[in-house]
Amino acid sequence: MKGSVGLSRPCLSLKLVSDKVGSLLCCHGSPNKYSRLDSKLETKVLEVKRNAPATLSIRSINALILKFPHFREGLKEIRTVFEQFDEDSNGAIDREELKKCLQKLQFHVGEEEIDELFRSCDVDDNEKIKFNEFIVLLCLIYLLMDAPSSGSTSKIGSPVVESTFNTIVEAFLFLDKNGDGKLHKKDVVKAFNDAFPLEKSPSHVTRTRFKEMDWDRSGKISFRKFLFAFLDWVGIDGDDEDHMAEI
């Protein structure tokens, strides 16, 4: 599997989602709208990095791509949860349905935090959370949760979902080469090219990857922005197999 092939083919789908979400973010709020949440996420990412093992399993972009089937298995389980709590079967979850879902998943989140996370993931401001937004929201809550104080090592009720979120966080840490909780262009280029020179991607492909994640052209990619782009890269709908074939 060539790194340049694995990185160049998802370009179109990534561009579509980044253009769509990026334009929505620009139209419906200033970049500062999410600064408080992004700051909390940044702190948590750095905390995970400090506590992470010295050797992480994702050490190259191809190693990350090989984990796509693992991601999809976790996303299928999240899809089941989503459909269970989409009580009116309209393809989206409202605030009341979300509260029931979080209780079922043992996510102990206060009203204020739920509202903040709901707004940050409802990118089209329609007071509904679609499936891709739901994944991002759950992953953000998972990252922000404190570790259990009891003897249990599990933060949520589903080992598959928990493993999926842990691996997504590790993917972000792989790209965050300078360890500041944000992705910068030079860090992404370094992650894509330096570890395994034989898997080196063409420079224009790497630049495109970064631009597609950098919706507001701020030069910095938060964990939240990374999640939206990454999920489209992996493929979360009926085109999952097509995405894998293309990569």
Side-chain angles (χ1 to χ4, degrees):
M1 181 182 297
K2 297 292 185 181
S4 59
V5 174
L7 292 171
S8 60
R9 194 60 186 91
C11 172
L12 179 58
S13 59
L14 265 176
K15 186 176 191 308
L16 289 173
V17 75
S18 61
D19 286 350
K20 177 181 178 182
V21 179
S23 62
L24 287 168
L25 290 178
C26 291
C27 292
H28 292 282
S30 68
N32 292 332
K33 177 179 179 181
Y34 308 107
S35 59
R36 179 174 176 269
L37 174 61
D38 286 340
S39 178
K40 290 193 294 185
L41 291 167
E42 183 180 314
T43 299
K44 279 293 185 177
V45 167
L46 294 177
E47 180 182 315
V48 171
K49 189 175 183 68
R50 285 193 300 270
N51 297 328
T55 56
L56 299 173
S57 62
I58 300 176
R59 301 179 60 195
S60 74
I61 198 65
N62 277 359
L64 174 57
I65 291 170
L66 287 172
K67 289 185 178 289
F68 281 9
H70 167 75
F71 289 127
R72 293 198 183 107
E73 285 305 309
L75 298 184
K76 286 179 182 177
E77 183 160 328
I78 298 173
R79 167 75 78 179
T80 300
V81 174
F82 178 83
E83 292 175 348
Q84 177 184 353
F85 289 93
D86 178 16
E87 296 176 350
D88 52 9
S89 300
N90 67 345
I93 286 181
D94 60 27
R95 290 175 190 265
E96 291 306 312
E97 291 170 336
L98 177 63
K99 290 175 184 177
K100 294 177 183 178
C101 175
L102 297 181
Q103 290 174 354
K104 178 69 173 181
L105 289 177
Q106 302 175 32
F107 281 135
H108 305 295
V109 187
E111 291 282 343
E112 183 178 350
E113 287 79 8
I114 291 177
D115 286 341
E116 181 180 32
L117 287 159
F118 193 101
R119 290 193 304 271
S120 72
C121 295
D122 179 20
V123 294
D124 50 7
D125 284 351
N126 65 351
E127 291 297 314
K128 301 284 185 181
I129 296 293
K130 298 187 292 293
F131 180 53
N132 67 320
E133 297 169 336
F134 180 72
I135 299 169
V136 172
L137 190 150
L138 289 189
C139 190
L140 295 186
I141 295 176
Y142 175 75
L143 181 58
L144 291 170
M145 286 178 66
D146 293 326
S149 56
S150 64
S152 173
T153 58
S154 178
K155 292 169 71 174
I156 59 177
S158 169
V160 174
V161 173
E162 182 165 355
S163 175
T164 300
F165 288 161
N166 284 338
T167 309
I168 290 174
V169 173
E170 185 180 343
F172 182 86
L173 292 175
F174 163 71
L175 296 174
D176 180 20
K177 290 303 182 186
N178 74 347
D180 68 349
K182 297 180 288 291
L183 304 185
H184 305 270
K185 184 176 179 180
K186 66 179 181 179
D187 299 326
V188 173
V189 171
K190 183 178 180 66
F192 277 34
N193 298 330
D194 283 4
F196 292 86
L198 293 179
E199 298 177 8
K200 185 173 182 177
S201 303
S203 58
H204 73 278
V205 172
T206 306
R207 289 195 302 270
T208 300
R209 289 294 77 69
F210 184 83
K211 288 180 180 178
E212 289 165 351
M213 291 189 285
D214 187 20
W215 304 331
D216 58 5
R217 303 300 183 256
S218 67
K220 297 177 293 184
I221 299 171
S222 67
F223 183 74
R224 180 177 50 84
K225 293 198 306 185
F226 161 78
L227 261 176
F228 275 107
F230 183 73
L231 288 174
D232 190 71
W233 186 2
V234 172
I236 59 173
D237 293 310
D239 60 349
D240 287 357
E241 294 302 323
D242 292 337
H243 271 270
M244 194 62 185
E246 290 169 355
I247 293 168

